[in-house]
Amino acid sequence: MLVLGIHDGHDAGACLLQDGKLLLHSSEERRRNSKNWAGVPEYSLKELFRRTGASPGDVDLIALGSQLRTTFPTRGHKPVYSVLNFLSWAGRSHWGTHLGRRVLSRLRKRKELMECLESMGMGNKPVVPFDHHLAHAATAYYFRPWQGPATVLTLDGAGDGLCATVNKAEGSNIQVLAQTPKYHSPAAWMYSSLTAHLGMRPYEHEYKLMGMAPYGDPDFIGDGHQESVADILRRSFSVEGLEFRNRTGHIASGIQAYYKKRLYARRFDNVAAGCQLVFEEMMLKWVKNAMAATGIRKIATAGGAFLNVKANKLIRELPEVEAMYTFPASDDGGTPIGAAILGYVKLCQEKGQEPQLDLPKDMYMGLGFEDADCEKAAKASGLPFRKMENVAEEAAQLLVEGKILGRFHGREEVGPRALGNRSLLADARDLRVIRKLNFAIKQRDFWMPFAASVLEEDAPRYIKNLTGWAYYMIEAFDTTPEGFNDLCAGTHPFDQTIRPQVVNELNPSYRDLLRAFKARTGVGGLLNTSFNLHGSPIVGTPEIAIDTLVKSELDALLLGSYLVTKPSSATRD
């Protein structure tokens, strides 16, 4: 059985699942080099069939990651946003949401998608749109690293008229226990709206607010005010049972006016701190209520709100939580995978077969490039390059010498986290690299922390209370004194937390590089951040990787087995 999973909203992408095995995933933003790209993932679809050798004619089912085409206003206002916001306001009750979902699903824009499918020979294939949050839930549940049931939670800005669900999952059944309409979304109308209130881009720059939060005081009142930011937000949003509640009476432009009036003359760091604190408080209450309802203390989570690593940390540390897994591609880019899984399970049930899913433990499910591709791109660039005899040893030596390297190797990661194969690497002991990365390469805001890759054998001496599956940079942990000392540039400088990628046999070539660096320094970790310029997606091709080298102050590029440098670089052969 061959299932094609597609998401044609923002963070568009596609994947192929054959007989329960994920063959390949592609994110359209990396094919087009346009961040958060929305629309039919035409380039990805073509790459999937070209690279896997699968025939479009053999596809048994096309599974869509939403019943409504998800979108968000990050590139300017469009009339459709006003319509959608009105429908969200009208659908603040469950009956209104249900009515809106039924009506809008029949009006779903599908012409471009069907034209693309028809041009590829799939115009007559069955197309099944799955609920957006069910697609998120499927990724969390079916990728969970344990056997047995799970409490499955989803939370994002919105998808198919909903922002959150609570599910009880066992076997091949995901039972929905509760749903929260989009109108009540704390992710959209609190976190993202406050991101916009602070002058940043909503639905994209929430991580900046999270990074700023530790510097502020959420309970500070100050002269001329009667209550703190946290107090205001606690009155604005709450948790009732298994659902969230928006108590402001506003969304969209109305919620912006609400915040402008109530948060006037508040320090931006205190606004960030208040938002993060109240978001965490709500998440903890919601999770505890959900576990009480299901009776299951192992939780699996997905949806964009679960990219908040600080909230994930607190959830994981709850004494009630026996185990926690967050799907690393929790943004909408992961929904093609969830949809494909749901489509496969549906086909199995129709045929009276037991689903036999064989899903990978790692996130290296994207496109890969051979050394021949890398050599061709290097030659075309005109830049100095050479083939390395021992990639790990030579790269480690450059890092010891203080160089900042881009690494483009093997298959790309699925999701927003770079896990060594599309990464910028540096010596995490050297705080000077932060300034160079922020201002000369990434062009990021000065307060933003970086992350670190840590060898599994060294993780216990660097990270406190290391539990769960810390392989994906999706959770935060406290550092030990040695950890903060050795990895200071890859931690949050204020609260000394770390968002680690624990490296083991899931990525042997990257592990070799880290071990080679440790052999020279005694430090079993490196600063790791995504390989891209600010405002661009993670590099998707050797050519874009080279272009990023040229346009930044990056010292050198590890391009497969090749080292690409600049004419003036000290690493030139």
Side-chain angles (χ1 to χ4, degrees), residues 99-135:
L99 178 62
R101 279 158 57 92
R102 290 193 62 181
V103 172
L104 289 176
S105 64
R106 297 179 181 181
L107 301 176
R108 187 188 202 276
K109 183 180 179 182
R110 203 183 285 185
K111 180 181 178 182
E112 293 178 13
L113 175 61
M114 297 310 298
E115 288 177 349
C116 177
L117 294 175
E118 187 172 356
S119 70
M120 297 179 66
M122 295 182 286
N124 62 339
K125 298 297 181 180
V127 178
V128 179
F130 288 95
D131 177 79
H132 181 77
H133 279 267
L134 188 60

Side-chain angles (χ1 to χ4, degrees), residues 145-146 297-301 306 311-317 321-326 468-469 474-475:
W146 66 80
R297 297 170 58 191
K298 292 184 176 181
I299 63 174
T301 65
F306 285 102
N312 290 350
K313 175 181 184 291
L314 296 179
I315 295 170
R316 186 191 67 244
E317 293 173 345
V321 173
E322 185 178 331
M324 178 183 180
Y325 171 76
T326 298
W469 301 270
I474 199 70
E475 301 176 72

Side-chain angles (χ1 to χ4, degrees), residues 390-393 396 407 455 503-504 507-520:
N390 189 313
V391 175
E393 296 293 335
R407 186 174 191 261
L455 285 169
V503 181
N504 57 14
N507 194 333
S509 63
Y510 188 39
R511 179 186 60 185
D512 290 344
L513 193 162
L514 285 165
R515 285 178 173 173
F517 181 81
K518 179 184 175 182
R520 288 165 169 78

